[in-house]
Amino acid sequence: MADKRFVSTTVEVEGREETRIVELPAFAPDPWDEDARLDVVGQCVPRMDATEKVTGRAVYSADVARVGMLHATIVRSTVAAGSVTEIDVSQALALPSVRGVLLRADVEGIKYDGGQLFDPNIRYAGQPLAAVCAESREVAERAAALVVTRVERAPHAATIRAALAKDAPKVRPKGNTGRNHPAIAERGDVDAAIETADVVVRREYRTPVQLHSCMEPHGAVAEWIGDHVTVWESTQGVFNSRADLARAFGLAHAQVRVIKDYMGGGFGAKNGASVAACIAVALAKKTGAPVRCVFDRAAEQFDTGNRSATVQRVTLAAKKDGTLAAIALEAEVMMGVGGWFAAPGKIYHEMYACPNVRTSETAVYTHTGAMASFRAPGHVEGAFGLECAMDALARELGMDPLALRRKNYAGRDQEKNRPYSDKRLDRCYDEGSKRFQWRARGRPGRGQAAAQDGRFRRGQGMSSLCWGAGGGPPAYATVRINADGTVDVLAGTQDLGTGARTVLAQIAAEALGAGIAHVRTVLGDTERLPYAGNSWGSMTTASVGPAVRMAAEDARTKLLDAASAIMGVPAKHLDARNSVVTSRQRGAAGRELSFAAIGEELGNVMIIGQGSRGPNPDRTAIFTFGAHFAEVEVDTETGRVRVLRLVAAHDSGRIINPRLAESQLEGGILQGIGYALFEERVVDESLGLPLNPTLHDYKVPTLADLPAIESFFVPGADTTANHTGAKGLAEPPNIGVAPAIANAVCDAIGVEVTEIPLTPWRVLAALEKASRSAR
Amino acid sequence: MSSVRIRVNDVSRELDVADHETLLAVLRDRLGLTGSKESCGRGECGACTVHLAAAGDRTRPVYSCLTLAAACDGASVTTIEGLGAGTLHPLQEAFVAQDAVQCGFCTPGQIMAAAALLADNPVPDEPAIRAALSGNLCRCGTYPRIVLAVRDAAQRMKAARG
């Protein structure tokens, strides 16, 4: 019986494992193991679209202008809960050059994370209620301001506490907590282990709602021609966006073309068709003209998703020697009105060797904007609780925090009891602590705080992290050799600023034997390119990279066959490197033919290679790891925390382009610094309105906040994961920063601050509380 | 409405602008110069930074989203598209060389702010770079490389001056 052509495989996406049926690729290239001699992969090739970006020529969605284009503005709710009783658009329509309005009746069945578009049942402040379009944005904004919306207010619950209160107003008809929540996952017997442990620590941690704050707001331009529509959208997934729009408008996939060329950041907030795209498509259809719809900054901040706030009650139990006996978590997770459950509990199951682990998590719905994936969703929140509690345990045990983590090193995937494809966290500990010059500390009171009594106190802290970023199928690529020997890599993925354009070209150049200068990547177009999934879950390189490699290997085989016919040398004696085919055959050794010369000979007989991403290995945990080390200085008079330096050691398998990869580490670390120190969406509890939906009041890190960052990868190649040996790396650097900083602050001042961001007032309050209890 | 004459990237323009119209809107929507980006629209992020020299005044960086076009009569404006005058400006070369770019959306504003700094202070130290660029947000977090790029550009410009 022939082998199965389609097999089942598992893929981890944003912390969730999915099972997929995938076609086995026609062949599997030999893995590039750690010692493989590679020319282009592993080099710091300059970012291929940098020149377009530094000259202002890179075209983002809001830069797209079509002839006769109209501009849409969204009318939004100014209350957190209630119902719309009347929308009067007569004054808006009377304004010259207003061309149309879009109301609830026009958008039946168009859904997004917040529910039905323009739902008259208001569940959060800022909820879209209608849209207006006009010949200029200014007129559209004036018209939107003239729309009269009558609303019957209802009580709201804008915080976890309010939503869980007795008789709380209902956010969803079925109540304010997730279905079948608390979701409980347990291995071993946690209660018994706590009972018999030598040491037990219990803590409660709080993390804020963090806002993606992409520099490029959500936006789209839509243009109908006949019965098909083209949409230029700022999206992390053109194919996902296409599927969403096709479903919403009852169209075939072939009737929708989504294009994303340049993209001004997503970080998880742009994973499908946005409200802006739905409105642009609907208004373009209604008015018969192209429509641009771009969110303003306030909407970008309160209506495009966010990282869930959490409350985490953590119990750690251990033996005297530091061996973990039990880990327990009870958590509430703030969803807003929707989204998916990004579990903070997952990292509690994964990070350390421990036979007894229980997490009990409750999704809490509130009258605020829906959550969305945000750079390592769940793990960023969970790592703060787990890693701060590990330090509390280390203090209780009189043990060095790094030694405690090494003591509980997991040699196998704890959650699913399966081997790791590869794990080099020990190398991260070794190399990170060495570069940081980590000073081991032992007995309580031996931290930095005890040695300092001045106003400014310094401390050091660390954290561990893990994140499943193995990528997986489906993903496809085509490699095409043009008649002049240049190479096009075609893949329906997208470059969010990550460097996918460059990295995929490097993989193709390596596998094909082409010079990198002759290779370009074409991406972000559903009509012209083979499928690739969303750029989320740190998946693009490990998903699309192997497909590109296979396509390039396929093209190489055909190219060498063609060269063989031209040169009269058997293909097995030919080699390709730097866009030149060279003979190794005795007698003809050293004979060369460039790709361009082959192309000239072939004319428009085109060499095309096809590739696809194969299944992941069975029963194997594919993870990335890292260790972060932070040094801070705390001003004990003002409570201000300054991060002085941060060392981040990461294990992501093979690094295709170290310069681009390290830049992503730095970026993730900076977002982590924002999460640790500044970033917090504040909602007025009585009004249910966001108080800081601007970049002035919601603080993201600036250049002035930049510490010395030393981030790097330990060498490796995970060839069990896939044949390129590369794993993901975008999200991991965001995970370890906040706990490393909080642990350093505790080391500096001798007091735990258990809620982030570590604002001056929180630090001062903790100091005050400690000095009161000392008196 | 008022009629204004503005020199944009060395091309003289006569435009009728509404009283509320921003320089950014004129550049992007009327002149097709979309290199200047709108991210916040209220002077908080720096993505729309351009150079403005009011008649008889020195050149300074401005947030074009907070600059009324009607107030620009007689002024000269330089945008990212006009910075290099046909070739790459040393800052643009340095931003490429140092990979001071991820998504690129804030990049034109960063470069325009840095160009204004280097015009005033040809060899800035790191605190001066941090101060001059702290009004330009980069959510991707390319700040370490932006600092390197500005220093690199200063060296390139110094070498070119001889």
Side-chain angles (χ1 to χ4, degrees):
Chain A
M1 199 178 102
D3 283 345
K4 275 196 290 188
R5 186 163 165 197
F6 282 84
V7 297
S8 160
T9 189
T10 56
V11 181
E12 185 165 334
V13 183
E14 300 282 43
R16 296 164 292 180
E17 203 157 88
E18 297 177 358
T19 301
R20 291 176 187 164
I21 304 293
V22 56
E23 184 179 7
L24 284 171
F27 66 95
D30 292 335
W32 285 334
D33 62 28
E34 202 178 339
D35 304 320
R37 272 195 54 226
L38 303 175
D39 294 333
V40 189
V41 162
Q43 300 299 311
C44 293
V45 169
R47 193 179 295 265
M48 287 187 162
D49 52 11
T51 302
E52 288 83 338
K53 288 171 177 173
V54 301
T55 52
R57 305 289 178 193
V59 174
Y60 299 80
S61 297
D63 301 335
V64 171
R66 307 295 295 175
V67 175
M69 184 175 75
L70 305 176
H71 301 258
T73 295
I74 301 171
V75 178
R76 294 173 180 277
S77 163
T78 54
V79 303
S83 51
V84 177
T85 55
E86 189 195 344
I87 294 186
D88 178 356
V89 294
S90 55
Q91 288 181 66
L93 280 172
L95 212 58
S97 92
V98 168
R99 295 274 295 273
V101 297
L102 198 67
L103 300 167
R104 170 66 182 83
D106 301 312
V107 294
E108 177 61 33
I110 298 178
K111 290 196 163 71
Y112 68 112
D113 278 345
Q116 163 68 45
L117 183 60
F118 300 156
D119 189 350
N121 173 29
I122 298 169
R123 296 186 302 145
Y124 65 99
Q127 181 176 314
L129 300 178
V132 188
C133 73
E135 285 164 16
S136 77
R137 197 178 92 180
E138 288 72 21
V139 173
E141 284 171 1
R142 269 166 62 206
L146 288 174
V147 172
V148 179
T149 313
R150 290 183 211 289
V151 167
E152 202 167 290
R153 286 183 84 133
H156 61 263
T159 61
I160 290 177
R161 197 182 50 191
L164 292 180
K166 198 165 162 273
D167 303 324
K170 278 188 180 172
V171 179
R172 296 188 152 202
K174 285 182 180 163
N176 294 348
T177 56
R179 197 154 50 98
N180 301 326
H181 278 208
I184 295 170
E186 180 163 8
R187 65 171 181 257
D189 186 340
V190 168
D191 293 333
I194 291 173
E195 193 79 16
T196 55
D198 296 328
V199 176
V200 178
V201 297
R202 292 189 170 85
R203 295 290 187 279
E204 180 173 299
Y205 298 99
R206 285 167 189 271
T207 65
V209 167
Q210 186 186 22
L211 304 177
H212 300 73
S213 310
C214 301
M215 296 305 290
E216 181 195 24
H218 283 61
V221 173
E223 181 173 43
W224 286 84
I225 295 173
D227 64 354
H228 62 275
V229 64
T230 302
V231 182
W232 291 262
E233 181 172 25
S234 180
T235 177
Q236 289 175 237
V238 287
F239 281 94
N240 230 21
S241 184
R242 180 178 79 164
D244 285 351
L245 290 170
R247 192 163 41 239
F249 291 90
L251 298 167
H253 285 190
Q255 289 173 285
V256 183
R257 179 182 183 189
V258 176
I259 298 173
K260 188 232 61 76
D261 205 354
Y262 293 89
M263 163 110 180
F267 314 115
K270 298 176 177 172
N271 277 332
S274 67
V275 170
C278 294
I279 289 172
V281 171
L283 273 170
K285 190 171 188 187
K286 196 169 174 185
T287 60
V291 172
R292 180 196 285 168
C293 182
V294 178
F295 274 23
D296 62 23
R297 178 49 56 182
E300 188 63 24
Q301 297 304 93
F302 61 61
D303 193 29
T304 63
N306 54 68
R307 184 186 300 288
S308 296
T310 68
V311 180
Q312 301 173 50
R313 288 176 293 279
V314 185
T315 305
L316 297 184
K319 293 186 194 165
K320 278 197 192 98
D321 67 356
T323 307
L324 281 169
I327 299 172
L329 168 73
E330 257 180 60
E332 283 93 45
V333 179
M334 183 171 175
M335 306 291 291
V337 295
W340 59 281
F341 187 68
K346 197 152 192 307
I347 195 170
Y348 288 77
H349 290 277
E350 292 170 351
M351 194 71 235
Y352 297 110
C354 182
N356 306 298
V357 178
R358 181 177 63 227
T359 55
S360 167
E361 303 170 280
T362 304
V364 182
Y365 293 95
T366 52
H367 285 110
T368 53
M371 68 71 71
S373 301
F374 189 168
R375 208 167 187 169
H379 272 52
V380 166
E381 301 88 300
F384 179 70
L386 175 63
E387 290 299 294
C388 288
M390 284 296 279
D391 262 45
L393 178 63
R395 281 189 291 278
E396 197 67 33
L397 290 162
M399 210 173 159
D400 175 58
L402 176 55
L404 177 65
R405 287 168 172 89
R406 287 190 194 266
K407 179 86 188 168
N408 293 288
Y409 199 81
R412 271 172 87 77
D413 172 22
Q414 300 285 298
E415 190 185 19
K416 301 205 170 79
N417 189 25
R418 52 187 183 172
Y420 291 119
S421 57
D422 191 31
K423 176 171 181 173
R424 302 184 189 214
L425 177 58
D426 48 355
R427 296 283 304 278
C428 296
Y429 287 148
D430 294 345
E431 194 60 25
S433 62
K434 194 170 119 198
R435 294 205 198 185
F436 184 79
Q437 297 181 294
W438 174 257
R439 290 190 295 272
R441 50 184 185 265
R443 292 191 304 278
R446 287 287 299 279
Q448 299 291 302
Q452 304 175 83
D453 50 12
R455 171 178 168 181
F456 295 96
R457 298 188 195 166
R458 291 190 174 192
Q460 298 186 345
M462 57 102 37
S463 66
S464 315
L465 63 96
C466 64
W467 179 249
Y476 304 88
T478 299
V479 166
R480 189 166 81 174
I481 304 177
N482 297 309
D484 64 353
T486 59
V487 179
D488 295 331
V489 180
L490 312 181
T493 184
Q494 40 280 315
D495 187 333
L496 281 50
T498 51
R501 262 193 190 88
T502 312
V503 164
L504 296 178
Q506 282 180 262
I507 291 171
E510 184 72 53
L512 182 59
I516 187 69
H518 300 134
V519 183
R520 67 162 182 166
T521 308
V522 182
L523 40 73
D525 184 345
T526 57
E527 189 167 281
R528 314 270 161 100
L529 301 171
Y531 176 88
N534 272 28
S535 292
W536 60 5
S538 301
M539 292 180 69
T540 301
T541 301
S543 301
V544 187
V548 166
R549 184 182 166 202
M550 183 184 160
E553 301 267 3
D554 188 29
R556 177 192 164 101
T557 302
K558 293 176 184 169
L559 180 79
L560 293 185
D561 282 348
S564 165
I566 298 165
M567 296 167 80
V569 175
K572 64 180 178 182
H573 295 308
L574 294 175
D575 209 2
R577 227 178 140 185
N578 201 20
S579 296
V580 176
V581 174
T582 309
S583 163
R584 284 183 273 103
Q585 190 187 36
R586 207 177 293 209
R591 271 181 58 199
E592 290 184 354
L593 202 58
S594 69
F595 286 15
I598 298 168
E600 200 166 317
E601 199 71 34
L602 294 176
N604 287 322
V605 174
M606 190 169 246
I607 287 172
I608 298 174
Q610 302 289 358
S612 65
R613 173 59 154 89
N616 281 329
D618 283 342
R619 288 179 290 282
T620 305
I622 307 170
F623 273 86
T624 63
F625 300 92
H628 285 187
F629 299 83
E631 180 162 17
V632 303
E633 183 179 83
V634 182
D635 182 339
T636 55
E637 277 184 23
T638 65
R640 182 167 176 244
V641 176
R642 267 181 63 213
V643 181
L644 300 176
R645 62 193 181 101
L646 216 142
V647 171
H650 283 262
D651 163 25
S652 284
R654 162 169 283 109
I655 302 306
I656 307 293
N657 186 323
R659 178 163 38 180
L660 270 51
E662 284 163 18
S663 184
Q664 279 207 76
L665 289 187
E666 291 159 9
I669 288 164
L670 275 153
Q671 286 186 356
I673 289 173
Y675 188 59
L677 298 183
F678 318 123
E679 296 186 36
E680 179 175 24
R681 184 198 65 190
V682 182
V683 172
D684 181 285
E685 214 171 326
S686 60
L687 292 171
L689 304 179
L691 292 178
N692 55 350
T694 68
L695 292 173
H696 180 78
D697 295 319
Y698 181 88
K699 300 289 187 194
V700 303
T702 73
L703 225 169
D705 305 305
L706 173 68
I709 297 174
E710 187 180 354
S711 51
F712 59 94
F713 295 92
V714 297
D718 189 344
T719 49
T720 306
N722 67 71
H723 53 72
T724 68
K727 292 185 284 197
L729 56 87
E731 290 164 301
N734 206 19
I735 297 172
V737 183
I741 289 173
N743 289 336
V745 167
C746 179
D747 184 46
I749 63 176
V751 181
E752 292 176 32
V753 189
T754 54
E755 180 170 8
I756 47 173
L758 302 170
T759 51
W761 48 94
R762 285 198 181 109
V763 173
L764 285 180
L767 282 167
E768 174 66 20
K769 198 174 152 197
S771 82
R772 265 205 314 271
S773 64
R775 280 202 290 269
Chain B
M1 277 293 190
S2 50
S3 179
V4 294
R5 181 173 290 198
I6 311 178
R7 217 174 155 71
V8 180
N9 297 337
D10 280 336
V11 178
S12 201
R13 309 277 192 174
E14 258 191 44
L15 299 158
D16 287 329
V17 297
D19 295 344
H20 66 268
E21 213 169 338
T22 66
L23 178 58
L24 178 62
V26 167
L27 293 172
R28 287 181 56 83
D29 299 340
R30 298 237 229 147
L31 305 182
L33 296 169
T34 55
S36 307
K37 302 301 179 195
E38 178 164 341
S39 180
C40 72
R42 41 182 281 162
E44 295 165 347
C45 75
C48 66
T49 303
V50 300
H51 293 177
L52 178 78
D57 201 355
R58 67 188 190 91
T59 301
R60 57 199 171 87
V62 297
Y63 292 144
S64 60
C65 75
L66 290 186
T67 305
L68 290 174
C72 291
D73 190 28
S76 286
V77 173
T78 306
T79 70
I80 189 71
E81 291 91 344
L83 186 67
T87 66
L88 288 186
H89 184 277
L91 267 165
Q92 292 169 319
E93 288 177 352
F95 267 64
V96 174
Q98 301 296 333
D99 195 37
V101 174
Q102 281 187 35
C103 82
F105 200 78
C106 74
T107 306
Q110 302 278 1
I111 289 175
M112 295 311 286
L117 166 68
L118 294 184
D120 272 356
N121 181 357
V123 191
D125 58 12
E126 187 164 327
I129 297 170
R130 283 173 177 248
L133 296 185
S134 62
N136 288 78
L137 300 179
C138 171
R139 188 52 160 165
C140 300
T142 52
Y143 297 133
R145 283 144 207 270
I146 290 173
V147 173
L148 292 176
V150 176
R151 299 193 119 161
D152 180 358
Q155 290 307 314
R156 286 168 194 256
M157 290 164 80
K158 196 175 160 191
R161 282 191 301 269

